[in-house]
Amino acid sequence: QVQLVESGGGLVQPGGSLRLSCAASESIFSFHAMAWYRQAPGKQRDLVATITSGGYTNYADSVKGRFTISRDNAKNTVYLQMNSLKPEDTAAYYCNAAHYSGRDSWGQGTQVTVSS
């Protein structure tokens, strides 16, 4: 069972920045891709950003140019740098690992609240 542990969430004012971390219990090269999702209360869980084992990245249009997904292979960790945060970014953020088998693993989530 792969474990994913998110951290770094918190309360930030509009225009501020946060960096989320997702620490995996095994090498991130074990996965086809890793991703960040977010879910606001009463809303579906939406894809925010992905990074493949080869290092290719993709972003939701709503965060493109503001968020950056990256990885530290030695630490088995994926990051989400969030800049120019907006109230609409308020959500629980979840780390996802897509296995080559098609199975998915999820972290427990970390709350991000953007408010003045």
Side-chain angles (χ1 to χ4, degrees), residues 15 33 116:
S116 59

Side-chain angles (χ1 to χ4, degrees), residues 6-98:
E6 302 102 327
S7 61
L11 175 64
V12 65
Q13 293 191 348
S17 298
L18 285 173
R19 188 180 74 162
L20 307 183
S21 299
C22 172
S25 61
E26 62 185 74
S27 173
I28 59 178
F29 291 111
S30 299
F31 315 117
H32 174 254
M34 298 190 72
W36 287 96
Y37 287 73
R38 66 186 182 186
Q39 186 171 25
K43 304 294 183 180
Q44 68 179 17
R45 188 171 296 186
D46 293 326
L47 179 64
V48 176
T50 62
I51 184 166
T52 70
S53 61
Y56 297 100
T57 59
N58 281 286
Y59 300 91
D61 288 342
S62 59
V63 307
K64 194 171 298 182
R66 300 188 297 120
F67 291 11
T68 302
I69 189 169
S70 62
R71 67 189 185 194
D72 186 329
N73 300 328
K75 295 181 178 179
N76 295 342
T77 299
V78 172
Y79 304 96
L80 184 68
Q81 178 67 47
M82 305 184 295
N83 299 325
S84 302
L85 283 161
K86 305 175 180 179
E88 305 95 282
D89 297 318
T90 296
Y93 283 71
Y94 296 89
C95 184
N96 168 269

